[in-house]
Amino acid sequence: MHCIPQMPVRRFMLTLLLLALGLTAAGQEKKGLTFDQIFKGAGPRVTTSLPSVTGWADDDHYLEVRRAEAGHKGGAYAIEAASGAATLYRDMEQYRAIIGVGIEPSAPASATEKYDKLIYVKENDLFFLNAATREFRRLTQTPGVEKNPTISPDGAYVAFTRDNNLFAIELASGKEKQYTADGSDVVYNGWASWVYYEEIFGRPSRYRAFWWSPDSRHLAFFRFDDSRVPFFPLFSDEGVNGSVEQTRYPKPGDPNPAVRCGIVPVVGGRVTWARFDEGNDQYFGTPFWAPGGASLWVQWMNRGQDTLKLVAVDPSTGATSQIAEEHQSSWVEWYPSITFLSDGSGFIVKSDRDGWKHLYLVGMDGKVKQQLTRGTWEVVDLLCVNLARRRTYFTARKEATTRTDLYSVSLDGTGLKRLTTGLFTHSVQVSPSGKYFITSYGNVATPTRMALHTEEGTLVRELADSKTNEFDRYELARTELFTIPTFDGYALPAIWTLPAGFDPAKRYPVLISVYGGPLSPTVSDGWKGIGEQWLAQEGVIQMSVDHRGSGHFGKEGAAQMYRCLGKWEMHDYGEAARWLRSRPFVDTTKICITGASYGGYVACMALTAGAGLFTHGLAGSSVTDWRLYDSHYTERYMDTPAENPEGYKEGSVMTHADRYRGLLRIVHGTMDDNVHMQNALRLVDTLEDLNKHFELLIYPGGRHGWGGPKAIHSRNENYRFYYRYLIGKEFPDKLFQGAGLMGRRRR
């Protein structure tokens, strides 16, 4: 079992003692951050933004976006790694007069790699800029909406969907080609069904379900048929009579979308359909084109999600041939990417088949040639392969599960080398062949810095430090990383920010923020900013902790959650609560847990299944019964309700509602199309029947999170809850009413 080193108890108590004794005379003169500094970004600023490095132009120049200043144009600059010399790389401002109003030149919807051909969207129509000839023209003028415009690799075409059909326009002639014609309210060509967008392709896909071949000769796309998928109604209160938004949403055990994989020549013609058995209850993951476009590699998974197959499809005939297969007794994960070697000898994938996410070199025949990394630690991302040097560059959590570093290893699995240094979390951008890398690095005590290194890890120069000269003039509450032991040998990673002027002889309320989903850690050793400083000044201990299935303990830990969501989360969060309750400085009458989405589920379970350990809960957009969430996510961990009735029963908040103690606030948006408000209503109904007291806060029209004025209201109501039930003071309404939102919005 791989565990984070635990802070020894003696050292831990010494830390608290030192905090209690106070700081030096100079430290005692330091100021506390003001409300405006924390919530409004007012000066003096204790931290500042790092340079906006967006990638690499080539192996010797990285790209940095700079604002216009006196004597210097704004735009993208190429910075020579060796010297630091900057030259204007991309001047999009020169096209502003050509493009006209209503379009931001530096924000195209799609562009070629060289940025010589760009597509823009204005009023739901497409516009084309040829940067070389300075030609700008309108491509479409239709009542429909052109979605996800994507330029072909050779810059000759732009593909998009309209009215759930797939199209492309030849940019030279402006001629439009329509590849499908059966799009409807239940049939989508190149546009993903909701469950695929949310759970398989991911939100960054923006529902796009088509892919250019590398030679620009073909378009692959998925065709979704939602006609069998049950409707779920979302009620809108707008208008005198209101309205109902009918969505196609498969719940556990429901029919899923029927999916076909098609390939069409870019010049038009017959669609070739891949020869998968349409009678199978199956899923298809993101496909990848083989080098040169010789075949399309499609990820196939059974409904039970314990078997993944990689299947090659012939673009001309649709014939399929299996390349590789992976099976696990719990569930398998999709391949997030496939990295093909440029010499055609194979490809690299990341898999957790041995219990931890590692890199595997696989031949084009699908046979594993070499496991490149191994051990009780996990690879995060493969960033670069240098075939000439036979080395790969990747990030991993090897030194500690809470920190990320850059490593390299040979293609024969030897010579593993750590390239970043120090007790920091590193966010890395590697040049195309690995010659240089830029790291943004920090930890819970160190604001983020940025530095440039060679491929061997040698420092070329420091690029920036987000800590300003004002930083050391202010007294910031201390944030610490540590572990909490469980009775069965796990060291749960935890992080807290202690109150300003912490005194272990006093008793403090605790606010625990969680997410809690499988393989979704929240605790990391990185700079957290200053957002927690206000509650720290108000005397609140703010804490996060991760359970055994969160990812810190690999697939070995996460697989324990199989068929029993809720069990191990409550077990481990309960252990953390007991640990807190044993600390003399914790006010055991004020232990609040908060989270949204899966974190909302955990908060609801904490005050029911975990009743007595937590005293307050603030649960947003919560799943309360896994029968009510979507098929793909839920069945991955729980199987279907028919296959696992006891698991669904024990994982339901309502099953444990009769044990409810403390005070729970339930928060939900009425038009949440992800976690339906049905979840909140079922819990409300149960608590009312049990004559339990709780609070309910509804956001009309709110989806899975909300912005604008309601986001500010939500933030303020959260703080009002903390002031009333944890801090025991009057909420400073006037301060918060004038504050907008800083930082991230809730998912």
Side-chain angles (χ1 to χ4, degrees), residues 73-189:
K73 286 187 175 181
Y77 281 77
I79 314 299
E80 187 178 50
S83 67
T87 56
L88 189 61
Y89 179 73
R90 189 178 294 134
D91 180 14
M92 299 307 297
E93 283 299 310
Q94 64 178 300
Y95 304 110
R96 189 174 292 277
I98 302 171
I99 290 175
V101 298
I103 295 178
E104 173 54 48
S106 62
S110 183
T112 54
E113 187 175 358
K114 295 181 179 179
Y115 248 63
D116 57 344
K117 296 179 180 178
L118 307 96
I119 301 295
Y120 296 90
V121 177
K122 180 182 179 182
E123 298 174 353
N124 294 326
D125 280 314
L126 303 183
F127 294 79
F128 169 55
L129 170 66
N130 187 324
T133 64
R134 303 180 71 83
E135 174 194 16
F136 182 76
R137 55 187 164 87
R138 188 177 197 136
L139 294 177
T140 64
Q141 193 166 5
T142 69
V145 179
E146 285 75 37
K147 300 176 180 178
N148 291 318
T150 308
I151 288 186
S152 59
D154 65 1
Y157 290 84
V158 58
F160 55 90
T161 60
R162 180 199 301 141
D163 298 328
N164 291 330
N165 283 307
L166 182 63
F167 297 81
I169 293 176
E170 186 180 38
L171 295 177
S173 66
K175 183 178 180 181
E176 182 176 281
K177 300 180 183 297
Q178 181 170 350
Y179 302 117
T180 67
D182 61 344
S184 69
D185 60 345
V186 292
V187 173
Y188 329 122
N189 295 284

Side-chain angles (χ1 to χ4, degrees), residues 48 50 425 440-443 446-450 464-467 526-527:
T48 188
L50 292 171
T425 290
S440 299
Y441 65 100
N443 57 35
T446 309
T448 310
R449 303 169 183 167
M450 181 180 284
D465 188 343
S466 65
K467 186 171 75 171
W527 177 247

Side-chain angles (χ1 to χ4, degrees), residues 523-576:
V523 176
S524 63
D525 191 6
W527 177 247
K528 308 302 178 186
I530 61 173
E532 295 179 341
Q533 294 297 315
W534 184 256
L535 286 182
Q537 291 180 174
E538 293 286 34
V540 179
I541 297 174
Q542 298 159 85
M543 180 176 176
S544 292
V545 60
D546 284 330
H547 57 76
R548 68 190 62 200
S550 60
H552 291 278
F553 307 96
K555 186 64 172 291
E556 293 176 350
Q560 295 185 48
M561 301 176 72
Y562 182 51
R563 293 172 63 91
C564 59
L565 291 182
K567 174 183 177 180
W568 291 109
E569 301 95 297
M570 284 302 96
H571 177 279
D572 289 349
Y573 288 135
E575 292 268 319

Side-chain angles (χ1 to χ4, degrees), residues 164 183-188 224-228 231 248:
N164 291 330
S184 69
D185 60 345
V186 292
V187 173
Y188 329 122
F224 300 88
D225 185 343
D226 262 359
S227 58
R228 301 181 306 171
F231 280 116
R248 298 280 184 169

Side-chain angles (χ1 to χ4, degrees), residues 484-490 548 568 571-572 575 578:
I484 298 173
T486 68
F487 78 90
D488 54 350
Y490 284 89
R548 68 190 62 200
W568 291 109
H571 177 279
D572 289 349
E575 292 268 319
R578 291 185 185 92

